[in-house]
């Protein structure tokens, strides 16, 4: 993979913790002409779970002799792996599908919708975009080659919308997008039923993988040269080992961190309810476990947390923060926040703002509430007008910006170990990530740094990024 494409992925990844619908490529029009039927184009929207699902889809297709191409123009099979967390995300796929409105652009192509919009909208997609012939949810990705063969044999439309909870959610081959960092899904689905969220509907109930299979995959990845692993789950710390080993989540973290060759182990996303002291102790015990916890609060008002069915109070959440801040190493904390949930008063919003001051997040992803189909909050009374949601979001983001600026300024003059995961060609600056998941944009006299661990001194700080230079002669 070229450094440029890694760089593009970094830009994406900064937003992708959040489930933001970030398109990986932008295409304005589709050219027509003969295409090789055994080529595919795959565009991914959404969170890291979707990124990883796309790696599995690519693995399945490559394993069956398909070739991946960079543009839909050149592809016999065009696939969109979609996100439906917010309305804006879901509508993006329909604007992409609009590129194929005219007959000539559909000629000889299979056009498919995968992922959360597929699961959520099902066959309705065929009505909205009749040129789509394949609609497939994440539990059916293994069947994709067969589904494509059926279309090639003359079937007009195929769907794979089962929510097969017995599925191991692992495909036999996964094509990894990043040469040094790899994802492992340890738990799929979600049982939490937050009232605003489509995930329990689109990804089904919670099911965990056995600890043995997680460890086996981690060992294989380490042997293949991956030094950083990110354990994934919508509620990763609700992990419940279904095997006789009955490993707890924190035991699993320690076991993965102990795999020879592993330098960094991350995990996301943690639910506050299942976040216990044992996780903090595990991070303290083994420095391979990264000093970062993504612990979405969603709101600082207990009243709203109740309406959201988050199952913790403001005070209980603050106790979790104190637990993390009390650790022997500085662990960074990040969050997701929704503003403008139905019934959010000025006081509730003020509670969220004051929570920012208490939590001192290293970064926070914030969103205006978006009513979603198949969720309990969809028809709740006291909806907040859109302009007010947008106003509150701006206020919240400004407050968080100030907090981050102050926090980052304190890092100036300090040295950090980073894993280099990008090079910006235009000014030859490198991008590295600290164990706390902060980005440092730095200069180095050296070349070929991708994937290396090295020391960087911070010379300047902004709210979203720090800037510095490599401490030469001191490998990390
Ligand atoms: N509206 C706005 N934001 C949402 N999120 C989830 N559902 C919605 C919604 N309906 C946010 C939450 C979650 C993140 C991935 O997306 O903050 O943590
Ligand atoms: Fe959605 Fe809540 Fe589950 Fe997170 S914990 S995926 S917000 S239902």
């Amino acid at each position: 993979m070229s450094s440029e494409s890694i760089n593009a992925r970094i830009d994406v990844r900064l937003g992708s913790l959040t489930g933001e619908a970030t398109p990986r490529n932008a295409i304005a029009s589709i050219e027509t002409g003969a295409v090789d039927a055994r080529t595919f184009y795959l565009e991914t929207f959404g969170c890291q779970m979707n990124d990883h699902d796309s790696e599995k889809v690519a693995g399945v297709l490559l394993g069956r002799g398909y070739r991946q191409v960079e543009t839909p123009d050149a592809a016999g099979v065009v696939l969109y792996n979609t996100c439906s967390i917010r309305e804006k995300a879901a509508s993006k796929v329909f604007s992409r599908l609009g590129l194929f409105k005219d007959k000539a652009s559909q000629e000889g192509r299979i056009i498919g919708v995968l992922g959360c919009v597929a699961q959520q909208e099902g066959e309705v997609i065929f009505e909205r975009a009749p040129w789509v012939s394949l609609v497939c949810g994440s539990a059916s990705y293994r069947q994709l080659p067969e589904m494509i063969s059926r279309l090639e044999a003359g079937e007009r439309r195929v769907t794979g919308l089962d929510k097969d909870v017995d599925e191991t959610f692992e495909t036999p081959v996964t094509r990894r997008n990043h040469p040094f960092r790899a994802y492992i899904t340890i738990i799929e689905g979600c049982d939490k039923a937050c009232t605003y969220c489509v995930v329990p509907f689109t990804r089904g109930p919670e099911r965990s993988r056995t600890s043995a299979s997680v460890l086996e995959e981690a060992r294989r990845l380490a042997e293949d040269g991956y030094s950083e692993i990110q354990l994934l789950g919508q509620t990763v710390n609700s992990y419940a080992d279904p095997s006789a080993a009955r490993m707890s989540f924190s035991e699993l973290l320690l076991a993965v961190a102990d795999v020879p060759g592993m330098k960094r182990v991350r995990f996301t996303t943690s639910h506050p309810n299942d976040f216990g002291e044992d996780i903090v102790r595990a991070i303290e015990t083994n420095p391979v476990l990264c000093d970062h916890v993504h612990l979405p609060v969603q709101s600082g008002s207990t009243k709203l947390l109740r309406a959201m069915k988050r199952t913790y109070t403001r005070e209980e959440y603050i106790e979790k923060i104190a637990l993390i801040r009390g650790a022997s190493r500085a662990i960074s904390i990040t969050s997701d926040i929704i503003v403008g949930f139905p019934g959010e008063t000025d006081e509730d919003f003020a509670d969220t703002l004051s929570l920012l001051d208490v939590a001192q997040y290293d970064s926070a992803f914030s969103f205006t509430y978006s009513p979603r189909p198949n969720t309990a909050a969809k028809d709740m009374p006291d909806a907040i007008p859109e302009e007010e949601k947008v106003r509150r979001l701006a206020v919240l983001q400004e407050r968080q910006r100030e907090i981050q600026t102050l926090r980052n300024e304190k890092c100036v003059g300090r040295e950090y170990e980073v894993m280099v995961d990008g090079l910006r060609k235009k000014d030859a600056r490198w991008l590295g990530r600290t164990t706390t998941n902060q980005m440092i944009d730095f200069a180095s006299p050296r070349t070929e740094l991708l994937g290396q661990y090295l020391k960087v001194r911070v010379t300047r700080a902004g709210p979203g990024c720090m800037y510095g230079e490599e401490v030469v002669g001191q490998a990390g």
Side-chain angles (χ1 to χ4, degrees), residues 305-353:
L305 288 170
R306 203 171 298 130
M308 291 174 166
K309 277 224 174 80
R310 285 295 287 179
T311 62
Y312 51 83
T313 62
R314 172 189 171 95
E315 289 69 31
E316 284 163 347
Y317 181 86
I318 290 172
E319 280 170 26
K320 307 279 175 178
I321 296 285
L323 206 63
I324 300 168
R325 294 277 180 232
S328 57
R329 282 208 306 278
I331 300 175
S332 75
I333 309 176
T334 54
S335 191
D336 294 345
I337 296 165
I338 299 175
V339 299
F341 189 77
E344 185 185 68
T345 60
D346 288 343
E347 292 71 40
D348 295 320
F349 179 58
D351 282 347
T352 299
L353 290 179

Side-chain angles (χ1 to χ4, degrees), residues 17-19 85-86 196-197 296 298 336-338 367-372:
L17 258 178
T18 65
I85 199 105
R86 283 169 290 277
Y196 52 81
C197 185
Q298 313 297 359
D336 294 345
I337 296 165
I338 299 175
F367 317 98
T368 55
Y369 168 67
S370 165
R372 306 303 297 129

Side-chain angles (χ1 to χ4, degrees), residues 39-51:
T39 50
F40 70 98
Y41 167 79
L42 174 57
E43 188 173 356
T44 310
F45 300 80
C47 63
Q48 287 152 323
M49 300 287 278
N50 266 17
D51 272 349

Side-chain angles (χ1 to χ4, degrees), residues 281-401:
R281 298 288 91 82
I283 295 174
E284 281 177 326
T285 307
N286 191 334
V288 169
L289 293 176
C290 287
D291 299 343
H292 172 220
V293 177
H294 184 59
L295 197 70
V297 67
Q298 313 297 359
S299 168
S301 149
T302 296
K303 184 193 96 191
L304 276 202
L305 288 170
R306 203 171 298 130
M308 291 174 166
K309 277 224 174 80
R310 285 295 287 179
T311 62
Y312 51 83
T313 62
R314 172 189 171 95
E315 289 69 31
E316 284 163 347
Y317 181 86
I318 290 172
E319 280 170 26
K320 307 279 175 178
I321 296 285
L323 206 63
I324 300 168
R325 294 277 180 232
S328 57
R329 282 208 306 278
I331 300 175
S332 75
I333 309 176
T334 54
S335 191
D336 294 345
I337 296 165
I338 299 175
V339 299
F341 189 77
E344 185 185 68
T345 60
D346 288 343
E347 292 71 40
D348 295 320
F349 179 58
D351 282 347
T352 299
L353 290 179
S354 73
L355 186 99
L356 294 186
D357 296 337
V358 176
Q360 290 287 309
Y361 292 123
D362 294 271
S363 80
F365 301 100
S366 44
F367 317 98
T368 55
Y369 168 67
S370 165
R372 306 303 297 129
N374 306 303
T375 62
K378 186 169 105 21
D379 298 314
M380 276 188 185
D382 304 320
I384 309 299
E386 210 49 46
E387 321 77 74
E388 178 57 13
K389 287 186 202 171
V390 170
R391 188 195 68 80
R392 289 182 191 177
L393 186 68
V395 172
L396 180 118
Q397 290 182 338
E398 184 48 35
R399 176 79 68 100
Q400 179 56 30
R401 222 180 125 79

Side-chain angles (χ1 to χ4, degrees), residues 221-283:
L221 286 167
E223 281 161 17
D224 288 346
Y226 290 93
S227 60
E228 179 173 320
I229 280 187
Q230 182 150 13
L231 303 179
L232 292 182
Q234 303 290 344
T235 54
V236 73
N237 58 327
S238 310
Y239 176 79
D241 186 359
S243 71
R246 290 276 176 270
M247 253 191 204
S248 68
F249 175 63
S250 56
E251 287 165 347
L252 181 67
L253 284 180
L254 286 168
V256 176
D258 272 342
V259 167
M262 209 49 74
K263 290 204 72 160
R264 286 186 174 180
V265 174
R266 303 185 181 279
F267 54 97
T268 199
T269 293
S270 295
H271 192 285
N273 253 37
D274 300 325
F275 194 90
E277 201 172 346
D278 57 324
I279 300 174
V280 178
R281 298 288 91 82
I283 295 174

